[in-house]
Amino acid sequence: MKELELGDGGEPRQQTTSRDRTMTTAQGGPIADDQNSLKAGARGPVLLEDHVMREKIFHFDHERIPERVVHARGYGVHGHFELTKAIPELSCADIFQREGEKTPTFTRFSTVAGNKGSFDLARDVRGFATKFYTQEGNWDLVGNNIPVFFIQDAIKFPDLVHSVKEAPDRGFPQAQSAHDNFWDFISLSPEAVHMTMWQMSDRAIPRSFRFMEGFGVHTFRLVNADGQSHYVKFHWKPRQGLQSVVWNEAVKINGADPDFHRRDMWDAIDAGDFPQWDLGIQVFDDDFADSFEFDILDATKIIPEEQVPVQIIGTLTLDANVDNFFAETEQVAFCTQNIVRGIDHTNDPLLQGRNFSYLDTQTKRLGGPNFTHIPINAPKCPIHHFQQDGHMAMMNPKGRANYEPNSWGEDGGPRENPQLGFTSYPEQVEGRKQRTRSETFADHYSQARQFWISQTPVEQRHIAAGYTFELSKCQHEKIRLRMLSHLMNVHDDLAHAVAKGLGVTDMPKPAKPAREPITDLPPSDALSILKNGPDSFAGRKLGLYLSDGADAALVSAIEKAFKAEGAMVAIVAPHIQGVTLSDGTRKPADEKIDGGPSVLFDAVAIVLSEDEGRKLAGDKPSQDFASDAFAHAKFIGWTDAAAPLLKAVGALPDADDGMLKLDADDIDSFVRTCRGLRFWEREDRLAG
Ligand code: HDD
């Protein structure tokens, strides 16, 4: 039972949990009966006088707040940032001064397009927003898992978002970009082409929030104590390595477990397997900015790591789930304008627009200007100012001074501090007022091409398939062809693969580029997921499908070996009650086979008894388990008794190298193989 505990004076009230206290109304009155409303007679009308019932229903009626206009579906977790390399020469930000110091954080991951109740594995960009509660105020790094953005100027953001969200007349499609409106807008906005390459890649269907990168996207400034400035791009590098699912799998995961990503994060943290990311910075100066092929203020461009290496300066560890989803994940309010002394903005027009949007949207969403009083948003350092009143004011200053300058001496309240306070970098700014786009933003294809040539053949195939799928959902041929005309400026191989997928035989003319693409940018390995995978199966999940009579020694060896690797093992069985193993022990199941399809796991092992193996060969959910694992190029551990099932789905008689016979004395070799995560050769073969 939840109770309210009153703080003394103006302190916020704290919620505590206790069983032995009396339930009360919000006004604190003890409640005698929470089961029945007040009536005139046992079967008579309910009386308006019933303040207990009315208060309860009134509060319930007001439980919802507006969901975020984008990034509505998200999942937040607590953690801390530990500085491993102090950078006082670059920045005077307090958080970057003392190696080994830990700063508390709150990170919210999200999808962009879908509503709050949509599914986790939409093909979409993922938000990666972190609030650092530094000793000199909150710093919010509000990034994505993709280092570039669709548009260059914030004035286009409402159009972009309208185009991807449900059409206003019909209220669908939900949580997806595979529709005419989105590709109509994109194909009329060539600046978006580079971003769509990332979006059509497997980056947009991550296996887990834990296995994706994060990027601050914009170029920011670092400013040191002497007022010297360097440009910086922020990167989050997951220590877990990168990993994505395949599209057919994503579609099925959304049905099997729409909460796949949030459950994954909750489970990992709950099990003490805390995900970590290194914070990297790419630092450069005006000379580099002037010589770089693209404009550093253009958020549709990356700076390749080969040109400006990423230096690691700290580590983010996510180590605590929230106590209350609404209080923390829903109410957290990230604002790009929350920066601290030593970090500053640049003139990136996308960033400048964001700096207006976030504060504005939080005020609407959270009901007023006092959202900074909500504990998840409140700084953890002292705060002193003369802001007052407004809806739900919780922190109210005492005394008479609520303005300055004042002459009340000691009682006069806080004063500004030119030494410690935030000062903007005094960049020289001049120019005519004009609504224009700089010529230096005009190259829309070169980095899209660089992205393409940096991918492995498997990844290229997935990108082409991504475009093909999405454009095939566009019912208007002119939109499909217009998009194709842009892809022709990216790379012939891509354009032809997509054209083939769409069934287009007469290629359209290439779109007229605003500026000729640079065709000799070198590939960059950092852009590929598969080149940055893990070297371990740690943090991954094995689905172990068991039947009655399964070999107990083998089951125990598998569990032991995968746990030693730092992986999880989920037991899947024909019934949720579990199975009786060969030695008579009962093994409870985590999932019944229908509810635990193989798409939920990174690799599978099928350990059946001979009798059950023959029976399960004809069982549809068992067939789906095996055939999906096979089609999604997963490593499959199996025993002879599973052969009829594997034959039934075409995985046998010719076992490929991704299918490993299990041997209780050598499970380690299965674990080692699973570190590769997928047996892509099989996908190559199946794709023909
Ligand atoms: Fe944004 C939310 C990331 C461009 C306006 N954005 C939001 C969130 C993330 C991003 C991660 C969710 C934060 C959370 O978990 O609560 N947005 C980005 C990135 C962008 C970007 C990486 C480009 C580099 N956004 C962008 C533009 C605008 C906005 C150009 C408006 C001009 N974004 C918003 C918003 C949201 C938001 C409407 C919705 C909910 C919220 O702010 O808190 O203000």
Side-chain angles (χ1 to χ4, degrees):
M1 184 196 302
K2 294 262 176 179
E3 298 197 5
L4 285 181
E5 208 164 73
L6 302 184
D8 55 354
E11 284 169 27
R13 293 166 167 198
Q14 297 245 318
Q15 281 218 316
T16 57
T17 306
S18 158
R19 294 194 166 275
D20 51 7
R21 296 192 194 164
T22 301
M23 178 190 271
T24 70
T25 62
Q27 302 295 335
I31 292 177
D33 180 349
D34 187 44
Q35 317 305 319
N36 302 293
S37 50
L38 185 68
K39 303 177 196 79
R43 300 180 59 247
V46 172
L47 300 177
L48 191 59
E49 184 188 322
D50 187 350
H51 68 282
V52 177
M53 183 270 283
R54 274 190 293 119
E55 184 202 71
K56 185 175 178 183
I57 292 182
F58 143 80
H59 197 279
F60 169 76
D61 290 344
H62 293 266
E63 275 179 9
R64 294 286 175 275
I65 60 172
E67 67 172 35
R68 289 165 174 82
V69 59
V70 278
H71 295 264
R73 182 168 178 81
Y75 205 63
V77 271
H78 296 273
H80 62 264
F81 171 73
E82 181 171 348
L83 189 72
T84 51
K85 183 174 182 294
I87 49 165
E89 71 288 1
L90 291 172
S91 169
C92 59
D94 188 70
I95 185 177
F96 293 145
Q97 303 308 305
R98 294 166 295 278
E99 283 171 16
E101 188 172 280
K102 293 181 180 168
T103 301
T105 58
F106 189 74
T107 299
R108 184 175 179 273
F109 301 100
S110 47
T111 51
V112 180
N115 294 341
K116 190 167 171 278
S118 54
F119 39 83
D120 277 350
L121 256 163
R123 177 181 289 285
D124 200 354
V125 181
R126 297 299 182 288
F128 189 142
T130 298
K131 192 181 280 294
F132 300 78
Y133 303 92
T134 88
Q135 291 178 34
E136 286 190 355
N138 288 352
W139 170 38
D140 292 357
L141 184 58
V142 194
N144 281 338
N145 74 331
I146 290 180
V148 289
F149 202 62
F150 293 100
I151 48 169
Q152 297 171 322
D153 189 315
I155 199 169
K156 296 311 298 168
F157 191 68
D159 300 289
L160 166 72
V161 174
H162 286 176
S163 80
V164 73
K165 287 248 184 191
E166 308 97 302
D169 52 355
R170 59 209 72 185
F172 62 84
Q174 155 80 253
Q176 55 187 300
S177 52
H179 52 85
D180 286 292
N181 275 13
F182 178 72
W183 289 103
D184 187 31
F185 174 78
I186 293 292
S187 59
L188 293 169
S189 312
E191 70 204 65
V193 169
H194 183 201
M195 175 76 166
T196 65
M197 294 290 292
W198 291 76
Q199 186 202 2
M200 293 305 109
S201 81
D202 295 344
R203 297 252 175 185
I205 41 173
R207 152 68 176 82
S208 157
F209 296 135
R210 296 182 293 138
F211 306 142
M212 61 185 206
E213 292 180 299
F215 303 90
V217 180
H218 309 283
T219 299
F220 293 89
R221 280 183 190 278
L222 293 177
V223 185
N224 70 16
D226 298 329
Q228 290 163 332
S229 152
H230 286 84
Y231 295 112
V232 64
K233 286 211 178 239
F234 293 104
H235 295 243
W236 289 117
K237 301 260 181 203
R239 292 220 171 151
Q240 299 75 227
L242 298 185
Q243 188 186 343
S244 287
V245 300
V246 295
W247 175 242
N248 181 272
E249 201 180 3
V251 171
K252 291 173 177 168
I253 290 173
N254 285 330
D257 185 4
D259 303 312
F260 188 65
H261 281 160
R262 52 179 62 192
R263 191 188 308 282
D264 170 272
M265 183 60 81
W266 174 278
D267 285 351
I269 292 182
D270 206 39
D273 183 8
F274 304 141
Q276 293 189 307
W277 284 259
D278 287 326
L279 178 65
I281 51 173
Q282 281 180 298
V283 179
F284 53 96
D285 56 15
D286 280 309
D287 288 345
F288 174 84
D290 294 342
S291 64
F292 185 50
E293 294 95 330
F294 307 97
D295 198 318
I296 60 144
L297 301 181
D298 174 358
T300 66
K301 306 295 186 301
I302 57 159
I303 297 181
E305 294 187 23
E306 289 75 9
Q307 275 175 276
V308 180
V310 176
Q311 314 168 38
I312 301 302
I313 60 165
T315 306
L316 174 72
T317 304
L318 301 182
D319 56 8
N321 284 314
V322 295
D323 288 330
N324 183 281
F325 183 86
F326 180 82
E328 296 157 74
T329 304
E330 251 341 74
Q331 293 199 118
V332 67
F334 293 97
C335 298
T336 52
Q337 79 271 18
N338 289 355
I339 48 168
V340 289
R341 193 172 68 98
I343 304 175
D344 207 349
H345 300 298
T346 58
N347 296 333
D348 175 342
L350 197 70
L351 176 59
Q352 298 280 332
R354 292 180 76 191
N355 289 341
F356 163 71
S357 183
Y358 290 73
L359 182 61
D360 187 42
T361 207
Q362 307 309 356
T363 313
K364 153 110 184 167
R365 203 170 66 78
L366 297 169
N370 288 321
F371 66 85
T372 53
H373 298 195
I374 300 172
I376 195 70
N377 295 321
K380 296 191 194 297
C381 62
I383 38 173
H384 308 285
H385 53 66
F386 291 117
Q387 296 167 16
Q388 67 172 34
D389 301 352
H391 286 291
M392 315 288 171
M394 308 274 182
M395 289 181 255
N396 301 299
K398 291 181 181 156
R400 71 183 296 173
N402 60 354
Y403 60 92
E404 75 89 40
N406 66 53
S407 61
W408 298 116
E410 281 289 292
D411 296 330
R415 294 288 188 266
E416 69 250 22
N417 180 335
Q419 278 74 45
L420 261 186
F422 181 88
T423 37
S424 295
Y425 177 70
E427 181 185 0
Q428 182 80 31
V429 180
E430 59 187 33
R432 288 173 190 277
K433 275 190 205 168
Q434 51 189 324
R435 288 188 188 277
T436 188
R437 197 71 63 92
S438 169
E439 269 297 301
T440 52
F441 283 37
D443 180 341
H444 303 313
Y445 302 111
S446 303
Q447 286 203 347
R449 179 185 180 87
Q450 182 177 39
F451 184 78
W452 173 257
I453 61 171
S454 303
Q455 308 300 315
T456 61
V458 171
E459 291 171 298
Q460 288 185 338
R461 184 167 61 233
H462 291 180
I463 293 168
Y467 278 112
T468 305
F469 178 89
E470 298 252 327
L471 294 176
S472 299
K473 290 278 182 186
C474 294
Q475 287 167 349
H476 292 77
E477 186 187 22
K478 67 175 182 188
I479 295 174
R480 299 196 292 264
L481 295 182
R482 203 191 296 139
M483 198 56 218
L484 208 47
S485 74
H486 290 295
L487 299 185
M488 293 174 76
N489 288 334
V490 176
H491 202 284
D492 264 359
D493 292 352
L494 171 63
H496 282 100
V498 176
K500 189 171 169 217
L502 295 173
V504 170
T505 43
D506 289 339
M507 293 298 271
K509 283 207 183 84
K512 189 168 177 310
R515 172 181 276 194
E516 275 310 307
I518 309 169
T519 50
D520 61 355
L521 291 179
S524 164
D525 281 353
L527 306 184
S528 152
I529 301 172
L530 294 187
K531 293 177 194 166
N532 294 282
D535 48 13
S536 135
F537 198 70
R540 273 72 183 176
K541 211 178 210 180
L542 177 81
L544 177 52
Y545 186 29
L546 302 179
S547 73
D548 279 334
D551 181 344
L554 182 57
V555 170
S556 150
I558 293 172
E559 286 189 307
K560 210 166 132 215
F562 277 85
K563 278 182 191 152
E565 177 79 355
M568 287 165 276
V569 177
I571 304 294
V572 183
H575 307 287
I576 193 64
Q577 286 294 93
V579 295
T580 306
L581 298 178
S582 58
D583 64 355
T585 52
R586 283 295 297 167
K587 188 84 191 156
D590 297 302
E591 296 283 2
K592 170 171 161 48
I593 181 73
D594 323 49
S598 59
V599 293
L600 301 181
F601 311 113
D602 299 282
V604 299
I606 307 178
V607 182
L608 313 174
S609 65
E610 249 173 64
D611 285 355
E612 295 299 314
R614 268 192 300 275
K615 276 190 235 157
L616 292 175
D619 174 59
K620 192 73 181 79
S622 304
Q623 288 182 356
D624 287 347
F625 186 91
S627 92
D628 274 346
F630 186 71
H632 300 147
K634 286 182 183 164
F635 291 105
I636 302 176
W638 59 292
T639 58
D640 283 339
L645 174 61
L646 291 167
K647 259 189 210 138
V649 300
L652 289 179
D654 302 320
D656 61 35
D657 291 345
M659 298 183 53
L660 281 92
K661 267 288 193 65
L662 295 168
D663 172 357
D665 296 327
D666 184 23
I667 293 301
D668 284 348
S669 63
F670 181 46
V671 175
R672 275 197 304 278
T673 308
C674 288
R675 289 177 188 160
L677 300 183
R678 302 284 166 132
F679 183 64
W680 293 117
E681 290 87 331
R682 186 188 302 144
E683 195 192 77
D684 286 341
R685 183 164 55 79
L686 295 177

